[in-house]
Amino acid sequence: MTEPASIRYKNPGAMWGGKHANNWGAVSDVVLKDGQSNHIAVFPDVVHGAAAQFALWKVGYCNISLSSAIKKWSGHNSSAAYMAFLGKHVGITAQTRITPALLASPKGLALMKAQAQWEAGKPYPMTDAEWRRAQAMVFSAA
């Protein structure tokens, strides 16, 4: 069986391609055959893919609640179930405000890991050291 797109393309958050992804090293953008014409960025390695995920949350999802962030991220696709999954795995609520400090913290790392698991449908194949390296690429001054 073929691995999920987020794993095949080294993109833990399954983010679309474009300027943001390219700034973090994306090498391509693929149109998925999912009936919705969704796209996914292709990264050279999982660390750059995860760094892009952290950075996108930092610039586009801060100062809103987790619930609002997930609705925005998922385009309202299964957002209630998605949010519940993240809350359970991270220990935060739908009302938790996403901030740069949260994303730079152990809970932020747990949030990105849980998001990657949701997107892949199984635990994402990255080591804790790789996740920490990706987080540090974005929050080195934090």
Side-chain angles (χ1 to χ4, degrees), residues 60-80:
Y61 295 82
C62 280
N63 301 314
I64 59 175
S65 68
L66 176 62
S67 179
S68 295
I70 290 304
K71 285 178 186 172
K72 181 179 175 181
W73 185 277
S74 68
H76 298 273
N77 287 328
S78 303
S79 54

Side-chain angles (χ1 to χ4, degrees), residues 94-108:
Q95 293 75 37
T96 299
R97 201 151 201 76
I98 304 302
T99 65
L102 182 130
L103 293 171
S105 76
K107 280 204 185 269

Side-chain angles (χ1 to χ4, degrees), residues 43-129:
F43 288 93
D45 57 72
V46 294
V47 173
H48 282 86
Q53 178 186 5
F54 274 109
L56 185 55
W57 274 76
K58 182 181 178 186
V59 300
Y61 295 82
C62 280
N63 301 314
I64 59 175
S65 68
L66 176 62
S67 179
S68 295
I70 290 304
K71 285 178 186 172
K72 181 179 175 181
W73 185 277
S74 68
H76 298 273
N77 287 328
S78 303
S79 54
Y82 198 156
M83 202 293 308
F85 179 87
L86 296 179
K88 176 183 172 190
H89 283 80
V90 181
I92 57 180
T93 69
Q95 293 75 37
T96 299
R97 201 151 201 76
I98 304 302
T99 65
L102 182 130
L103 293 171
S105 76
K107 280 204 185 269
L109 193 134
L111 177 61
M112 297 297 102
K113 286 175 73 172
Q115 182 184 29
Q117 181 173 339
W118 176 269
E119 293 291 345
K122 63 182 185 178
Y124 200 85
M126 279 180 73
T127 66
D128 287 341

Side-chain angles (χ1 to χ4, degrees), residues 9-32:
Y9 298 123
K10 299 175 177 71
N11 183 341
M15 74 174 59
W16 282 51
K19 184 178 178 183
H20 176 85
N22 293 345
N23 287 342
W24 288 92
V27 296
S28 184
D29 178 62
V30 174
V31 178
L32 299 173

